[in-house]
Amino acid sequence: MRLRGWLVPLAAWLFLVLSTGAHAFDLAPEGVRALKEKVPSLAAFSSDGLVWRLERRYRMLSDGSTEASCTLVAQIGERIPGALRRLFVPVPDGGSAQAGLRYYDPMTWREVGSVSPKETQLEGVRGLEMSLPQDAAGRVVLITLVQRVPSRASLSGFVSFGMELPVWEEVLSVEIPSGRGLNFKQQGVQEPVVGSLSGVEAYVWINRNQPPMSDSGLVDRQRPWVSFSTSRGPEAASLRLREMDSVRTDRLSGLPKDPKGKLEALESRWSSSLKGVRVMSLVGGSDPVGSRLTLALRDALEAEGHHVETWWAPKSGFAPGDPVSDGMWLTPVLRSQRLFGGSPFYVGQGVPPGEVPMGLLGRTLYRSLPSGEIGSMGVPMPPAENSRVSSYIRGSVSPDGRFEGTMEVLISGAWIGLVDLEDPLGWLNTGGSFIFDGVRVRRSQRGLVLESPMAGQLDVGANGMLLKIPSVYPRMLEDLVSRGEVLKPRFPFLLEQRVDLGVPKGTSPVVEPVLKNSRWLRQRISSSSVRGRISFSAALTVRDAAGGRSDVSSEDFFFFIRGLGDGILVR
């Protein structure tokens, strides 16, 4: 849709928010105050915060350089949201960055406090860091940042809409000199409003009432996005890939000699440096730290004589005729026939060397070939049996229903990348109320193993009884139980439950839970009773559940989870 003159109100709003005069008498800018009347109350959301407005603005300046700015206005609840607690704004190579943070009393609109960014480095990536203090709880926060990139004679970006907090209104505006032409590709958002004023042509996308979104977890929820660039075509894409390949890094010190040790050491450094950090960057990739460490790993391996190919994983589907956007590349990916069985690898993959990272499953990787063409390599989706969570619970039940026993959970394949090793018990959910006496985490050739003693009440009565079989399963499985949605897990998987219980004499199973199967999902629950012991097993297999090929619905998972929690009727 084309609309002339729309730039005037947009520019006026930005002026009210960003101009220094708007901070007279330490009051919030008018543009911020006006938002309060337009958004619902935070109480309507089950969240620690609500983003009133998130605006990203890209401008191509007369000298060919790019200026990208962001303004975020959010109401904070009683706790500081993790998504805003600690912010890192990278400084683009050869460019500059600015950032600021202020927070206001929503009743008087007086400024309560402000935070000035400090210059820092995360594994060699220069940037500005800001932390939202605890006294910002209950306030309205204004966060601004600007990044400038030297002249490349082109403007590009990749913007994913939404964040971990609900967002009431989100705006993306792209401004270029008239006649230059902007190429864009989009998903999940309406067509842009296009307008021109004083030699500037601008494109504006608006997205409203976006629920919380996350790029992690089991559910593959497609975030709305826009990819844009003043360049397009296979030649421009191949040239940009070669430019990214040519980046060389400073030599890293203190790494082990063997390739496996190098990757594991850099994984640890990446995880430590980004713990609790939200990277806010409008230009380049979303993980500059992981990208830099991956390229540094490549340089170190090549210096030792290894032949290493550099591939690039896109955030969305990519075709050679798409806009050539820097930000569309998720991460560089390395591959060597002599290392890790030929499996692709990168820093930040979250799985042991030799395992295919969850973030690459089903994706197509790209690289620039010596001929100038673009090469591609598909990463196959493994069978469900390769990614499993297998739990084994063994113990006994007293006549009054008290259970005591042990738990062992084996986690393999893509599931490993989802485990929170700092809180492994919090990662699990239980079909009942149990107490765990610590947890031991160890690695085996089969995967990751969690072990713990456990105890709880199973509610065994005197006559016709309901025995709630003890069970454990990944908590994020419940994310799939959202009625009305057609859900896409990120990968095929297998869940297995096995329970061996010593029970009061004369106790045996009578009725098992009702299950539902579909084309892509198979569920099984069975039980048997022999000489004072009940053996219980359950399995959930999701096949070909990623890549949009499944018709798995939330109700399919509902029956399985209900079966685990409801238990088995015994007498």
Side-chain angles (χ1 to χ4, degrees), residues 52 59 64 108 118 129 197 199 206 210 237 277 294 307 341 353 371 394 416 455 475 490 549 564 567:
W52 288 359
R59 296 195 301 156
T108 66
K118 62 177 182 180
E129 183 177 319
L197 182 69
I206 300 177
Q210 180 67 55
V277 175
T294 298
H307 175 68
S371 63
R394 182 178 177 85
I416 293 178
R475 186 179 299 273
R490 295 180 183 274
R549 296 189 298 275
L564 293 178

Side-chain angles (χ1 to χ4, degrees), residues 6 105 161 184 283 291 320 322-323 390 437 477 488 556 558-559:
W6 66 270
D105 185 322
F161 289 83
F184 61 88
V283 297
S291 295
D322 286 350
S390 303
D437 187 13
L477 186 66
K488 298 176 183 177
D556 297 330
F558 172 78
F559 279 90

